Amino acid sequence: MLGASPWLALGLLGLLLAAAGRDPERRGWAAAALAALALFLGLRALPTLVAGERWIGDLWDWSGPLLGLAGVLLLASVLVRRGLLDWRDAGLTLAQARGALPTALGVSAATLALNYLMMSLSRFRLPGVPLETWLYQASIPGLVEETVFRGVLLALADRAVGPHRARWDVVGARIGWGGVLVTLAFVALHGLSPGVLLGVLPAALLYLWLRVRTGSLLLPIVVHNLWNLSVYAAHL
């Protein structure tokens, strides 16, 4: 997920400081968002600096994302203990917003089917997909990236922007500049080639919509992993 420079993602999220203006409380939230992203990126890259075999697995870096996730959750827990943040604010709840689930499930199913169809039209084919790849894609991307980006970072970014800034109603989800900046940072970390943008940006917008519409990370995590799995399945 570090295809593009992490500095670009940090710079995009740094726009939160401009959005916060001179309000010290909102600037504090913006600084917390930047610190969380920097902590995630630093811990995620840590295993790559250690010589030798991967800590977990042979084909994929399992330990880096999990370390990054642990660091961000630790930072969030400090804010929770101080009464500044609630875990539900970061979507860490199984409860779904009233009436949101039928629409969210329908949109998810339709989008996943469309993505699979479009991917299957490609002439590119994989000779086979190792078991570790299936296991990794079925667990780590959604768990880690949704919790960090659509979870903790989104909660911090929305507080940095403030409730008075413009928000748009997108099929029942009130999405503001905090969500936009977090999404742009997420996409930047995947790379900026046309192929990556076409593959990642629509998915990132879907995950953001699901998170805001349902109030929970449960569906974004599941759909994120299914999206990744569908890409591999379509190219077999």
Side-chain angles (χ1 to χ4, degrees):
M1 199 183 77
L2 298 177
S5 170
W7 296 110
L8 176 57
L10 288 167
L12 287 166
L13 211 58
L15 295 174
L16 290 172
L17 290 169
R22 296 184 178 181
D23 186 310
E25 181 177 348
R26 297 212 317 269
R27 290 183 70 84
W29 287 115
L34 280 169
L37 180 57
L39 180 63
F40 172 71
L41 294 175
L43 290 175
R44 191 184 187 282
L46 188 60
T48 65
L49 304 178
V50 179
E53 298 294 329
R54 293 185 184 275
W55 296 357
I56 306 174
D58 297 319
L59 302 175
W60 293 88
D61 178 14
W62 296 69
S63 50
L66 291 173
L67 276 175
L69 173 62
V72 171
L73 289 177
L74 180 61
L75 186 152
S77 70
V78 173
L79 297 175
V80 170
R81 286 199 300 270
R82 294 186 176 182
L84 299 173
L85 191 70
D86 189 282
W87 288 118
R88 289 172 296 182
D89 298 332
L92 292 170
T93 175
L94 296 178
Q96 306 291 303
R98 181 175 298 179
L101 205 52
T103 302
L105 288 173
V107 170
S108 299
T111 309
L112 285 168
L114 179 60
N115 179 64
Y116 178 82
L117 176 61
M118 293 181 63
M119 292 294 106
S120 64
L121 294 176
S122 167
R123 294 183 179 181
F124 175 74
R125 289 293 179 265
L126 293 168
V129 179
L131 177 60
E132 184 185 337
T133 295
W134 291 117
L135 293 175
Y136 182 90
Q137 297 298 337
S139 56
I140 296 299
L143 176 64
V144 173
E145 295 173 14
E146 294 310 308
T147 304
V148 172
F149 286 88
R150 260 68 62 176
V152 176
L153 284 180
L154 180 60
L156 299 177
D158 278 342
R159 281 162 173 73
V161 172
H164 66 287
R165 292 299 177 94
R167 291 179 183 270
W168 304 274
D169 191 300
V170 182
V171 196
R174 296 284 291 171
I175 296 174
W177 283 110
V180 171
L181 292 176
V182 167
T183 299
L184 291 176
F186 175 80
V187 172
L189 286 170
H190 284 76
L192 297 177
S193 68
V196 171
L197 289 175
L198 288 174
V200 175
L201 181 57
L205 292 174
L206 173 63
Y207 308 149
L208 174 64
W209 181 83
L210 289 172
R211 162 66 183 89
V212 178
R213 183 69 181 90
T214 65
S216 168
L217 286 171
L218 178 60
L219 202 52
I221 289 173
V222 172
V223 172
H224 189 147
N225 288 334
L226 287 176
W227 182 287
N228 287 9
L229 289 171
S230 72
V231 172
Y232 280 91
H235 289 127
L236 285 176

